[in-house]
Amino acid sequence: MQYFFKMPKATRNTPAKTKIYELLLSSELALSHAEIQQRLDFTCDRVTIYRVLDRLLESGQIHKIVNVDGVVKYACCKTCSPVHQHNHIHFSCERCKEVTCLNEVEPVYQIPKNYLVTDVSFTLLGVCPQCR
Amino acid sequence: MQYFFKMPKATRNTPAKTKIYELLLSSELALSHAEIQQRLDFTCDRVTIYRVLDRLLESGQIHKIVNVDGVVKYACCKTCSPVHQHNHIHFSCERCKEVTCLNEVEPVYQIPKNYLVTDVSFTLLGVCPQCR
DNA sequence: TCGCTTAATGCAATTGAGTTGCAAAAATAA
DNA sequence: TTATTTTTGCAACTCAATTGCATTAAGCGA
């Protein structure tokens, strides 16, 4: 009997999980829940999509971005596997509303006194190359 | 008759607007809609608070921060008046959930090629001095 | 100071994202 | 194949935010 160590719950590979993960893997952009639902032609229940996204977040396969307009987007982080590391900048286009990971740009900041920094959320806002 | 120039809509000073603005002015922290409602002892209708916040945002007297947990907060930007400029870092404490403007810390970044950057949203996540 | 115009307010109803409970279906290990 | 447990789909629910509309009140001009 194990009292102090809780086994991580086993997760299963299901068509929904595979399809959603592959969709995010192949997408250049971060996708919202609604966009994922559309691209799957509404073959998955909306609740299932939320739960699959939670599992993928939990396992570190994807990351979550809360855009400045409040829209939540999900993306596979290509450059930082296998250990997840979201220390990169996102770009949010105010015209097409698309959110992209700028993997090549690293954020620089001075750590303020007495604050303990564990993570960074850095989004540049403006107009993307396609919309200029 | 003016065809091409639309007069900006006149706004009025009301007790609600004054109270909400003074509340944000005197607060060290960014406040959410719910927090504002509480601190006004529920004397204002929640819809009125939303509409006053919209007007204050419109006039540039306050700015809006969408926290990583999705909670929207509002703050007066003390250092950048009269011209509003939100080019500063926010700190979001994962324990007490408070969001602070770190006016003294300026974000540094390389502008990515072909992107037009008009604004910056930079939040450091972690533990604030009070919670360490 | 008084009226008039129009912005602001309060209330009710609505929208939309996200969550929860539960029974049925399906993935995996034995 | 069977048994176990996760995952799914559906319905119902929560909560933040928005909209419509009638009423109230700010503030300008007379």
Side-chain angles (χ1 to χ4, degrees):
Chain A
M1 193 73 170
Q2 263 292 11
Y3 287 110
F4 302 110
F5 177 75
K6 199 156 134 211
M7 274 294 282
K9 201 171 70 165
T11 64
R12 296 175 181 179
N13 286 318
T14 62
K17 187 180 168 189
T18 309
K19 276 193 288 182
I20 292 170
Y21 183 59
E22 283 175 354
L23 181 58
L24 290 174
L25 251 189
S26 65
S27 173
E28 281 302 303
L29 306 166
L31 300 177
S32 68
H33 173 273
E35 287 163 344
I36 293 170
Q37 199 178 15
Q38 277 163 24
R39 300 204 186 187
L40 296 178
D41 294 316
F42 298 90
T43 51
C44 278
D45 187 79
R46 29 181 275 103
V47 180
T48 301
I49 297 174
Y50 279 118
R51 292 196 267 224
V52 166
L53 289 170
D54 282 345
R55 271 181 279 151
L56 291 171
L57 284 168
E58 187 74 19
S59 71
Q61 290 170 275
I62 63 172
H63 67 276
K64 183 177 178 172
I65 309 145
V66 180
N67 200 4
V68 278
D69 58 7
V71 176
V72 176
K73 303 230 172 185
Y74 302 87
C76 280
C77 196
K78 278 106 183 172
T79 54
C80 59
S81 18
V83 177
H84 188 61
Q85 146 78 308
H86 12 224
N87 225 28
H88 63 266
I89 293 184
H90 295 115
F91 188 88
S92 172
C93 177
E94 60 195 28
R95 298 210 186 140
C96 64
K97 309 290 174 198
E98 286 182 349
V99 175
T100 342
C101 295
L102 301 175
N103 288 308
E104 67 279 6
V105 187
E106 277 240 356
V108 182
Y109 55 93
Q110 316 136 34
I111 297 172
K113 265 193 182 168
N114 300 320
Y115 286 84
L116 176 67
V117 177
T118 57
D119 208 347
V120 177
S121 162
F122 196 165
T123 304
L124 295 180
L125 314 170
V127 188
C128 73
Q130 286 75 39
C131 293
R132 289 188 76 173
Chain B
M1 192 71 170
Q2 263 292 10
Y3 288 109
F4 302 109
F5 178 73
K6 198 156 135 211
M7 275 293 282
K9 201 171 69 165
T11 64
R12 297 173 182 181
N13 287 318
T14 60
K17 186 179 168 189
T18 309
K19 276 193 288 181
I20 291 170
Y21 183 59
E22 284 175 353
L23 181 58
L24 290 173
L25 252 188
S26 65
S27 173
E28 282 302 303
L29 304 166
L31 301 177
S32 68
H33 173 273
E35 287 162 345
I36 293 169
Q37 199 178 15
Q38 277 164 25
R39 299 203 187 188
L40 296 178
D41 294 317
F42 298 89
T43 51
C44 279
D45 188 79
R46 29 180 288 100
V47 180
T48 301
I49 297 174
Y50 280 118
R51 292 195 267 224
V52 167
L53 289 170
D54 282 344
R55 270 180 279 150
L56 291 172
L57 284 169
E58 187 75 18
S59 70
Q61 291 171 275
I62 63 171
H63 67 274
K64 183 176 178 172
I65 310 146
V66 180
N67 200 4
V68 277
D69 58 7
V71 176
V72 176
K73 303 231 172 184
Y74 303 87
C76 281
C77 195
K78 278 107 184 173
T79 54
C80 58
S81 15
V83 177
H84 189 62
Q85 146 78 308
H86 11 224
N87 224 25
H88 63 265
I89 293 184
H90 294 116
F91 188 88
S92 172
C93 177
E94 60 196 29
R95 298 210 186 140
C96 65
K97 309 290 174 198
E98 287 182 350
V99 174
T100 342
C101 296
L102 301 175
N103 288 308
E104 66 280 5
V105 187
E106 277 240 355
V108 182
Y109 56 93
Q110 316 137 36
I111 298 172
K113 265 194 182 165
N114 302 318
Y115 286 85
L116 177 65
V117 177
T118 57
D119 208 345
V120 177
S121 163
F122 196 165
T123 304
L124 296 180
L125 314 169
V127 187
C128 73
Q130 286 76 38
C131 292
R132 288 187 77 173

